[in-house]
Amino acid sequence: MTFTDKELEKRKHLVKTTYKLVADYGFSNITLQDVAEKAGVSKGSILYYFENKDELFVTLLERMVNNIERQIRVNVSRSNTPQEKLQAFINSTFVGIKENRDFYKVYLDFLSQSNHNDGLKKFNVYWYEQCVLVFGQIAKEGIEKGVFRNVAPEAAAIVARSVVDGLCIRWLFDEPDRFEFYKETALQVMTCYLSK
Amino acid sequence: MTFTDKELEKRKHLVKTTYKLVADYGFSNITLQDVAEKAGVSKGSILYYFENKDELFVTLLERMVNNIERQIRVNVSRSNTPQEKLQAFINSTFVGIKENRDFYKVYLDFLSQSNHNDGLKKFNVYWYEQCVLVFGQIAKEGIEKGVFRNVAPEAAAIVARSVVDGLCIRWLFDEPDRFEFYKETALQVMTCYLSK
Amino acid sequence: MTFTDKELEKRKHLVKTTYKLVADYGFSNITLQDVAEKAGVSKGSILYYFENKDELFVTLLERMVNNIERQIRVNVSRSNTPQEKLQAFINSTFVGIKENRDFYKVYLDFLSQSNHNDGLKKFNVYWYEQCVLVFGQIAKEGIEKGVFRNVAPEAAAIVARSVVDGLCIRWLFDEPDRFEFYKETALQVMTCYLSK
Amino acid sequence: MTFTDKELEKRKHLVKTTYKLVADYGFSNITLQDVAEKAGVSKGSILYYFENKDELFVTLLERMVNNIERQIRVNVSRSNTPQEKLQAFINSTFVGIKENRDFYKVYLDFLSQSNHNDGLKKFNVYWYEQCVLVFGQIAKEGIEKGVFRNVAPEAAAIVARSVVDGLCIRWLFDEPDRFEFYKETALQVMTCYLSK
DNA sequence: CATGAATGAGGCTTCATTCAT
DNA sequence: TATGAATGAAGCCTCATTCAT
């Protein structure tokens, strides 16, 4: 279960390729053959680096969750005031049209499958816990500094994640270039919700 | 394409059975055999009432969307003030623990598949359009009567749908009995968002 | 195994409908449902009049062979000289564009299936025996009257059937309106073959 | 669409196995499972070498037509006089009892299916065109050299193909050991037809 | 390490046939 | 007599997975 650098590199390449394909076609609609072709490797090669198709998917989600989580932490930590941190939180989720479309398509697959797959559910739980930690901290700071109204930080975190995800999912079925509208709306809703 | 009462009854039975299975195991994880066994009919029987597996799913989603939409309209129309209508809107979505869990599991699958299936996407578009019509009207009334602040009705409708869906999806991965918390939170967020 | 007049009428109707469908699509490409729809009866009805799909096909071929055989006998018997009888024989096979296309398409199916189905083979044997009897008689008369050269009547019968069938099958893949050319060619080949 | 030698070998093996099965049981009466078992491979293996069942059949017929056509050309080109070429043409078709029975059983299926399948029809057209080219040339030479009577070469080609096919098909339902009789009869009929 | 030929379980679908009405 | 709902056997095809090279 430990990998050399070269192996890690190859796994990364395969995961990235899978990410693109899942975004375009959905996990249950793509085959290992599809991944192999797009990645420019043989079918057998994939199963050399991943136990099976499921592990490839799980790895993809693991990586995805870790990336987004890290990104949020980094962006938030660079900000100072609670309002700036709220903005940073939203910036971390609303990155760009292309990135967000791919991300949320895969993310939807992830959520959908998590309901029926205990292996995936545990990433979800972890992911949501992290969200509570990060945004709970933002909320707590805002309340302490008197710039947010007095809500339970955990509730605020849940609202933040839900509003952002809800809007991003909704945006998937709207015009791509309304991205900024959705981003601003997310900020506005959270601002209303947290304002005194 | 017209059916007798008996046929409609049978189709309904099959669709309901499928609904339960999709909620439990997910769209692409169930087979016609599964549906047949659970419904207590033969495999061939399903294909006698539905062109193919896809049509069974599409019918399920069509019915689901129509039901929820009708429910919302009925509940909203029974209320008088904009605030009551907002509450009615949220009540229509947060029906009960059991109902909501099944519904949103299937709904998530629906959203996820809609990204890759044009046939499903059209229901999505229709569904979101109806949401805008219904909630846009609520918002418009509230604004005119001076109880809501002046937001674009369409934006309010998008926010309402997104907040409700976002929270319900989030709730799927939280404790079932926190249902009321999520429901109240939805109302709270929307109230903040619409308040002057 | 005995039928009332009404039953016979119904069987005849079903056989005729099947004949058309077999000509158009081939026996193994049509379903009982197809026959039922085209005949304007229910699927179950067909199996009320015929043991199973196979019996329907066998009955069709039986009828087909009997019809053509009777036709040949009638036409030949109305002629006087051996040459006229030869012409009558060919006329009986080359009836018309539409009739011949349908007939030979079904006939090809018949020949093709006869190779693998003993039930059908016996019709074939019977049919060819009748051909030998009928054309053998023509040849014999012609030889005795000195208008045909001295060939074995059975050989002449085999040649006659083969030439006619070979040309008709070939014509199926040529332009329909070259029907007369094929008919004349059949007569010409037989005339050459039988001339002194 | 290019294959390695090994792949070609495997495809050839599968096609030959299919050929035997089609001869014995007929086109629409054999399954991929039958082919797999007889060929000693798994069912999936066939679909690895052929897109689907249809492609297997089409390949079989393509190969069959190409083989017989090549054989005719080779044999004819080795002969000198028109009469010898006519004999070579007939020799090419009447190869041997065993070979001819298999061939014409498959060929009958081929003709029969060609009526209902446009993909197959195109091989038929090609095949008949080649026949016209080859035998038309023989006829033309014979006429020019004054050994055949003056007929249209194309007509002669059609007669040749029809007579040979008609007799071979007829032979399928006669005693196998009358093979030589049918062969001689074919030569005799053609000789009569072409003689001055 | 990497390949890709080969497998076979499992899914969807078709359709002849049965049978209650 | 006639219907057509219901069945289930059987076929085609997909594709994750194995394994010899």
Side-chain angles (χ1 to χ4, degrees):
Chain A
M1 281 302 149
T2 47
F3 302 98
T4 67
D5 280 3
K6 216 175 169 185
E7 280 170 336
L8 285 172
E9 209 51 47
K10 195 92 184 220
R11 280 171 65 94
K12 203 169 173 179
H13 173 57
L14 289 172
V15 164
K16 277 200 167 179
T17 305
T18 307
Y19 178 75
K20 257 321 239 174
L21 282 169
V22 172
D24 287 348
Y25 306 106
F27 180 69
S28 51
N29 302 319
I30 63 173
T31 68
L32 287 181
Q33 186 64 49
D34 294 332
V35 178
E37 271 166 27
K38 181 146 186 145
V41 301
S42 75
K43 203 176 6 163
S45 197
I46 299 176
L47 297 203
Y48 181 82
Y49 288 100
F50 297 92
E51 196 75 22
N52 51 35
K53 197 193 174 189
D54 247 44
E55 203 211 309
L56 173 61
F57 193 35
V58 168
T59 305
L60 160 62
L61 297 174
E62 192 175 15
R63 194 175 297 256
M64 205 173 86
V65 166
N66 285 337
N67 280 350
I68 180 73
E69 197 225 315
R70 180 165 9 89
Q71 201 53 47
I72 294 173
R73 284 187 187 280
V74 167
N75 286 353
V76 168
S77 70
R78 281 181 184 149
S79 308
N80 299 312
T81 70
Q83 289 101 328
E84 280 171 7
K85 288 189 176 181
L86 170 59
Q87 177 74 64
F89 173 83
I90 283 167
N91 287 346
S92 305
T93 307
F94 288 84
V95 177
I97 293 183
K98 189 110 192 47
E99 298 90 327
N100 267 51
R101 277 202 110 68
D102 281 352
F103 180 87
Y104 269 94
K105 280 178 178 179
V106 178
Y107 187 67
L108 255 181
D109 253 32
F110 171 36
L111 291 174
S112 156
Q113 289 296 324
S114 295
N115 273 307
H116 323 107
N117 180 325
D118 285 340
L120 294 182
K121 201 167 229 161
K122 99 182 157 200
F123 286 116
N124 222 301
V125 170
Y126 169 78
W127 156 242
Y128 281 145
E129 279 169 3
Q130 298 306 311
C131 290
V132 167
L133 286 181
V134 172
F135 200 88
Q137 181 59 28
I138 297 175
K140 199 157 153 257
E141 271 183 48
I143 294 161
E144 283 167 358
K145 292 190 175 167
V147 294
F148 291 162
R149 74 185 171 89
N150 191 21
V151 294
E154 195 228 356
I158 287 174
V159 168
R161 185 77 259 149
S162 301
V163 165
V164 160
D165 284 354
L167 282 163
C168 280
I169 289 169
R170 181 64 177 78
W171 167 70
L172 278 184
F173 300 94
D174 203 337
E175 298 300 318
D177 56 15
R178 295 193 68 189
F179 180 70
E180 285 303 328
F181 164 74
Y182 279 89
K183 186 174 183 174
E184 282 159 19
T185 301
L187 181 59
Q188 199 184 346
V189 172
M190 286 312 296
T191 304
C192 293
Y193 175 71
L194 291 170
S195 293
K196 287 189 156 176
Chain B
M1 283 303 153
T2 47
F3 301 99
T4 67
D5 281 2
K6 221 174 169 184
E7 279 171 335
L8 285 173
E9 211 51 50
K10 197 86 186 226
R11 280 171 66 95
K12 204 170 173 178
H13 173 56
L14 290 172
V15 164
K16 277 200 167 178
T17 304
T18 307
Y19 178 74
K20 259 318 238 176
L21 280 169
V22 171
D24 286 348
Y25 304 104
F27 225 76
S28 47
N29 302 318
I30 63 173
T31 68
L32 285 181
Q33 188 64 52
D34 295 333
V35 178
E37 274 166 24
K38 179 140 188 151
V41 299
S42 75
K43 201 178 8 166
S45 200
I46 300 175
L47 279 305
Y48 182 80
Y49 287 99
F50 297 92
E51 199 78 19
N52 52 36
K53 196 189 176 187
D54 243 45
E55 202 213 307
L56 172 62
F57 283 155
V58 167
T59 305
L60 160 62
L61 297 174
E62 191 175 15
R63 195 174 297 253
M64 205 175 86
V65 166
N66 285 339
N67 281 349
I68 180 75
E69 196 225 315
R70 180 165 9 88
Q71 202 54 47
I72 294 173
R73 283 186 187 279
V74 168
N75 288 352
V76 167
S77 70
R78 281 182 184 147
S79 309
N80 298 311
T81 70
Q83 289 100 330
E84 279 171 7
K85 289 188 175 178
L86 169 60
Q87 177 73 63
F89 173 82
I90 283 168
N91 286 346
S92 304
T93 308
F94 288 85
V95 176
I97 294 183
K98 191 127 187 34
E99 297 90 327
N100 268 51
R101 279 201 108 68
D102 281 352
F103 180 87
Y104 268 95
K105 281 178 177 180
V106 178
Y107 187 68
L108 253 182
D109 258 26
F110 170 37
L111 291 174
S112 158
Q113 290 295 325
S114 295
N115 274 308
H116 319 295
N117 179 326
D118 285 340
L120 295 182
K121 201 167 229 161
K122 117 186 140 192
F123 287 116
N124 224 301
V125 170
Y126 169 78
W127 158 241
Y128 282 144
E129 279 169 2
Q130 297 307 312
C131 291
V132 167
L133 286 181
V134 172
F135 201 87
Q137 182 59 26
I138 297 176
K140 199 158 153 257
E141 270 182 49
I143 295 162
E144 284 168 358
K145 293 189 175 168
V147 295
F148 291 162
R149 73 186 172 87
N150 192 23
V151 294
E154 195 227 354
I158 288 174
V159 168
R161 186 77 257 151
S162 301
V163 164
V164 160
D165 283 354
L167 282 163
C168 280
I169 289 169
R170 180 63 177 80
W171 167 69
L172 278 184
F173 300 94
D174 204 336
E175 297 300 318
D177 56 17
R178 294 193 70 189
F179 180 71
E180 285 302 328
F181 163 73
Y182 279 89
K183 185 174 184 175
E184 282 158 20
T185 301
L187 181 59
Q188 200 184 346
V189 172
M190 286 311 296
T191 304
C192 294
Y193 174 71
L194 291 170
S195 294
K196 287 189 160 177
Chain C
M1 283 301 151
T2 46
F3 302 97
T4 66
D5 279 3
K6 215 176 171 186
E7 281 172 334
L8 284 172
E9 208 50 48
K10 195 92 183 217
R11 281 171 65 94
K12 202 169 173 180
H13 174 55
L14 289 173
V15 164
K16 275 200 167 178
T17 305
T18 307
Y19 178 75
K20 257 321 238 174
L21 282 169
V22 171
D24 286 347
Y25 305 106
F27 180 69
S28 50
N29 301 318
I30 63 173
T31 68
L32 286 181
Q33 186 66 48
D34 295 333
V35 178
E37 272 165 27
K38 183 146 186 146
V41 300
S42 75
K43 202 176 7 164
S45 197
I46 298 175
L47 296 204
Y48 180 82
Y49 289 100
F50 297 92
E51 195 76 24
N52 51 35
K53 197 191 175 191
D54 247 45
E55 202 212 308
L56 173 60
F57 193 36
V58 168
T59 306
L60 159 63
L61 297 174
E62 191 176 15
R63 195 174 297 255
M64 204 174 87
V65 165
N66 285 337
N67 281 349
I68 180 75
E69 197 225 315
R70 181 165 6 91
Q71 201 55 48
I72 294 172
R73 281 187 189 280
V74 168
N75 287 352
V76 167
S77 70
R78 280 181 184 150
S79 308
N80 297 315
T81 69
Q83 287 101 329
E84 278 170 8
K85 288 187 177 182
L86 168 60
Q87 177 74 63
F89 174 82
I90 283 168
N91 286 346
S92 306
T93 307
F94 288 84
V95 176
I97 293 183
K98 187 109 194 47
E99 297 90 326
N100 267 50
R101 278 202 110 69
D102 282 352
F103 181 87
Y104 268 95
K105 280 177 177 179
V106 178
Y107 187 67
L108 254 181
D109 252 32
F110 171 37
L111 290 175
S112 156
Q113 290 295 325
S114 296
N115 273 308
H116 322 107
N117 180 325
D118 285 341
L120 295 182
K121 200 166 230 161
K122 100 182 156 200
F123 287 115
N124 222 301
V125 169
Y126 167 77
W127 157 241
Y128 281 146
E129 279 169 4
Q130 298 307 311
C131 290
V132 167
L133 286 182
V134 172
F135 200 88
Q137 181 59 26
I138 298 175
K140 199 157 154 257
E141 269 182 50
I143 295 162
E144 283 169 359
K145 292 190 175 167
V147 294
F148 291 161
R149 72 185 171 91
N150 191 21
V151 294
E154 193 228 357
I158 288 174
V159 168
R161 183 80 258 149
S162 302
V163 164
V164 161
D165 284 352
L167 282 164
C168 280
I169 290 170
R170 180 64 177 79
W171 168 70
L172 278 184
F173 301 94
D174 204 336
E175 298 299 319
D177 58 15
R178 295 193 70 191
F179 179 72
E180 285 302 327
F181 163 74
Y182 279 89
K183 185 173 182 175
E184 282 159 20
T185 302
L187 180 61
Q188 198 183 349
V189 171
M190 286 311 297
T191 305
C192 293
Y193 174 71
L194 290 169
S195 293
K196 288 190 160 179
Chain D
M1 282 303 151
T2 48
F3 303 98
T4 66
D5 282 2
K6 222 176 169 183
E7 281 171 333
L8 285 172
E9 211 50 52
K10 196 85 185 226
R11 281 171 65 95
K12 204 169 172 179
H13 173 56
L14 289 172
V15 164
K16 277 200 167 177
T17 305
T18 307
Y19 178 74
K20 258 318 237 177
L21 280 168
V22 171
D24 286 349
Y25 304 105
F27 224 74
S28 46
N29 303 318
I30 64 173
T31 70
L32 286 180
Q33 188 64 51
D34 295 333
V35 178
E37 274 166 24
K38 179 141 189 151
V41 300
S42 73
K43 200 176 11 164
S45 201
I46 299 175
L47 279 304
Y48 183 80
Y49 286 99
F50 297 91
E51 199 77 23
N52 50 37
K53 197 189 176 188
D54 243 45
E55 203 213 306
L56 172 61
F57 282 155
V58 167
T59 306
L60 160 61
L61 297 173
E62 192 176 16
R63 196 174 297 253
M64 204 174 87
V65 165
N66 285 338
N67 280 350
I68 180 74
E69 197 225 314
R70 181 165 8 89
Q71 202 54 47
I72 294 172
R73 281 186 188 280
V74 167
N75 287 353
V76 167
S77 70
R78 280 181 184 147
S79 308
N80 298 315
T81 69
Q83 289 101 329
E84 278 170 8
K85 289 188 176 181
L86 168 61
Q87 176 73 61
F89 174 82
I90 283 169
N91 286 346
S92 305
T93 307
F94 288 85
V95 177
I97 293 183
K98 189 128 188 34
E99 297 90 327
N100 267 50
R101 280 201 107 68
D102 281 352
F103 180 87
Y104 268 95
K105 280 177 178 179
V106 178
Y107 186 68
L108 252 183
D109 258 26
F110 170 38
L111 291 176
S112 158
Q113 290 295 325
S114 295
N115 273 308
H116 319 295
N117 181 325
D118 285 341
L120 295 183
K121 201 166 229 161
K122 114 186 142 193
F123 286 117
N124 222 300
V125 169
Y126 168 78
W127 157 241
Y128 281 144
E129 279 170 3
Q130 297 307 311
C131 290
V132 166
L133 286 181
V134 173
F135 200 88
Q137 181 59 27
I138 297 176
K140 200 159 153 256
E141 270 183 49
I143 294 162
E144 282 168 359
K145 292 188 176 169
V147 295
F148 291 161
R149 72 186 172 88
N150 190 23
V151 293
E154 195 227 355
I158 288 175
V159 168
R161 185 78 259 150
S162 302
V163 164
V164 160
D165 284 353
L167 282 163
C168 281
I169 289 170
R170 180 63 176 79
W171 166 70
L172 279 183
F173 300 94
D174 203 337
E175 297 300 319
D177 56 15
R178 295 193 70 190
F179 179 71
E180 285 302 328
F181 163 73
Y182 279 88
K183 185 172 182 175
E184 281 159 20
T185 301
L187 180 60
Q188 199 184 347
V189 171
M190 286 311 297
T191 304
C192 293
Y193 174 71
L194 291 169
S195 293
K196 289 188 155 176

